[in-house]
Amino acid sequence: MKEKGLLIVLSGPSGTGKGTICKALLKKNKFNLSVSATTRNSRNGEVDGESYYFLTKDQFLEKIEKDDFLEYAEVYGNYYGTPKSNVMEKVQNGEDVILEIDIQGALKVKEAYKEGVFIFILPPSMEELKNRIRGRGSETPESLMTRFKSAYKEISFISKYNYAVINDTVENAVSKIESILIAERCRADRVEQKIYNSQEGIINEQFND
Ligand code: ADP
Ligand code: 5GP
C-alpha cells in the first residue's frame, strides 16, 4: 500500500488571509488545492473553475441530491461545498490536498477523517481583520458586518483544530504552515505506517540519507 498524502484543512474567519496564504503556499509547494463550489456571486478577478465553481442555487441543490460533495455548508447566506472530485483518492494515492473551508465544513471533514491536519488561521487583531475585509473591497457594509461579527463566534472553535497560525505577514504564516507540515510528516504514527508499508524501503532510505 502506498504512503498516504496529507489532507490539509485551512479555516478561519473571512478576511484573515486564507486565500492569500494558499496562493503563496502553492507557489512553493506541490499541493492539490481543492476548488470549491459556491452559490455566491463572483468577485472582481475571480475565475470560474479556478477560484470557485460558481453555481446557481438549483445547480448546487442538484449536486447535494447526487451526493457530489465531500462536505457542504451554508456560510454567510450562501452555499459552499467541496466537490468529492477524487479528494480522498488523491490522499490515498500519496498526494497532499488542501481544503480552504469554513468551520462547519472543517468539523464535518474531521468527523470523517481525523488524520487530517486542521489549521486555524487567525488575524493579528480584530481591528486588522476589519481593515482586511474592508481593504479587499468585496463586501457591502452589511455583509462586512455579518462576516466581522461571525468572526468572534468562529474563533471560539479554535480548540477543535490541531494548529493555530497568526497571519501577521504572509511570509511568516506560510513558513509556519510549512513547518507544521514537516512535523506532521515526521509524526511517529505516520512513519510507523510507512515502515509497515515498505519494510526494507524505509530502513534503506534512512541509512542512505
Ligand atoms: P480570506 O481568504 O481568509 O477571506 P483573503 O486572502 O481574501 O482572506 O485576504 C483578505 C484581504 O487581506 C486581502 O485584501 C488580502 O490581500 C489581505 N491580506 C491577506 N494576508 C495579509 C497580510 N498578512 N497582511 C496584510 N494584508 C493581508
Ligand atoms: P468567501 O465568500 O470569502 O470566498 O468564503 C466564505 C467562507 O466560505 C470562508 O470561510 C471559506 O473558507 C468558506 N468556504 C469556501 N469554500 C468552502 C467549501 O467548500 N466548504 C465550506 N464548508 N466552506 C467553504
Side-chain angles (χ1 to χ4, degrees):
M1 201 174 65
K2 221 174 159 181
E3 188 195 345
K4 282 190 209 166
L6 297 176
L7 181 67
I8 305 148
V9 179
L10 289 191
S11 285
S14 176
T16 38
K18 302 178 297 291
T20 309
I21 291 171
C22 275
K23 262 195 208 137
L25 270 171
L26 287 168
K27 265 195 196 154
K28 296 172 63 193
N29 300 275
K30 209 168 153 269
F31 296 130
N32 294 282
L33 177 66
S34 159
V35 178
S36 295
T38 183
T39 58
R40 85 147 159 74
N41 294 327
S42 64
R43 294 175 187 148
N44 266 347
E46 285 186 331
V47 178
D48 191 26
E50 275 180 30
S51 320
Y52 280 107
Y53 295 105
F54 293 100
L55 304 181
T56 62
K57 192 171 172 189
D58 283 346
Q59 288 171 325
F60 199 101
L61 294 176
E62 200 182 312
K63 286 195 177 290
I64 296 177
E65 278 292 303
K66 286 206 224 143
D67 196 24
D68 280 351
F69 293 118
L70 192 64
E71 63 72 35
Y72 68 90
E74 202 178 337
V75 192
Y76 316 130
N78 281 299
Y79 283 107
Y80 294 80
T82 305
K84 283 191 179 159
S85 59
N86 308 324
V87 167
M88 291 319 293
E89 285 85 344
K90 281 184 185 143
V91 170
Q92 296 293 346
N93 201 33
E95 296 179 49
D96 298 328
V97 180
I98 304 191
L99 307 183
E100 193 233 293
I101 59 177
D102 92 309
I103 282 103
Q104 307 166 71
L107 295 183
K108 284 183 205 158
V109 174
K110 198 176 175 198
E111 245 171 56
Y113 191 71
K114 63 175 181 338
E115 303 103 283
V117 184
F118 295 84
I119 306 177
F120 198 90
I121 308 293
L122 286 160
S125 69
M126 294 312 274
E127 200 49 39
E128 174 63 11
L129 178 66
K130 203 193 267 176
N131 291 339
R132 285 187 190 170
I133 310 178
R134 197 180 278 133
R136 188 169 61 191
S138 54
E139 308 306 317
T140 61
E142 294 75 33
S143 71
L144 187 150
M145 278 324 285
T146 305
R147 285 172 184 247
F148 185 63
K149 281 186 188 155
S150 303
Y152 285 93
K153 208 160 70 200
E154 289 168 348
I155 289 172
S156 70
F157 284 91
I158 194 166
S159 63
K160 305 277 182 200
Y161 287 72
N162 306 118
Y163 301 94
V165 168
I166 296 175
N167 176 20
D168 45 7
T169 69
V170 178
E171 203 183 28
N172 276 346
V174 165
S175 136
K176 282 183 199 162
I177 293 172
E178 286 173 340
S179 304
I180 289 168
L181 300 179
I182 290 171
E184 279 288 329
R185 290 192 188 94
C186 294
R187 266 182 35 189
D189 54 348
R190 286 197 210 279
V191 177
E192 186 186 29
Q193 204 178 41
K194 199 169 162 186
I195 293 171
Y196 285 124
N197 288 346
S198 60
Q199 291 289 353
E200 287 295 309
I202 180 129
I203 294 166
N204 290 335
E205 210 179 284
Q206 284 191 340
F207 283 95
N208 290 335
D209 270 352

